[in-house]
């Protein structure tokens, strides 16, 4: 029994799912290393059977000071349940490959 009357999905699973389902559309093949999370919040619970959708926004990006072929990018990942409620928000920093021959990340 939980205060919500039904079992919750583990919050660490929720954040892993959120980041995992965004990879193919955002960073697949370009991430060198995940550098860590600045913030993770869970404003609403996730329950077994919920349908989760995700979106990602690039918050900031800068070239690496030690390697011109790399850059540091801050992503904000957001997960929503089937009712459109925000259930997880995570800010993640990653070391990324830069586009060859480009000054952009």
């Amino acid at each position: 029994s939980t205060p919500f009357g039904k079992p919750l999905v583990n919050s660490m699973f929720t954040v892993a799912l959120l980041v995992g389902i965004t990879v193919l559309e955002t960073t697949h093949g370009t991430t060198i290393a995940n550098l860590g999370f600045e913030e993770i919040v869970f404003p609403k619970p996730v329950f077994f059977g919920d349908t989760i959708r995700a979106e990602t926004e690039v918050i900031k990006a800068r070239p690496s000071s030690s390697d011109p072929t790399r850059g540091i990018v801050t992503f904000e990942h957001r997960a929503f349940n089937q009712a459109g409620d925000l259930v997880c928000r995570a800010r993640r920093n990653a070391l990324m490959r830069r586009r060859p021959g480009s000054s952009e990340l």
Side-chain angles (χ1 to χ4, degrees), residues 7-74:
L8 301 172
V9 172
N10 181 285
S11 58
M12 291 296 99
F13 179 81
T14 300
V15 73
L17 176 68
L18 168 59
V19 174
I21 61 179
T22 64
V23 166
L24 192 60
E25 290 83 16
T26 57
T27 61
H28 183 68
T30 59
T31 302
I32 297 167
N34 286 305
L35 303 177
F37 289 85
E38 291 179 11
E39 176 186 42
I40 302 171
V41 295
F42 304 97
K44 298 262 182 160
V46 175
F47 300 103
F48 289 97
D50 281 355
T51 299
I52 302 297
R53 71 174 178 83
E55 63 184 34
T56 298
E57 179 180 355
V58 173
I59 302 300
K60 61 184 172 181
R62 68 170 177 82
S64 168
S65 57
S66 62
D67 185 341
T69 67
R70 299 175 176 188
I72 309 294
V73 178
T74 301

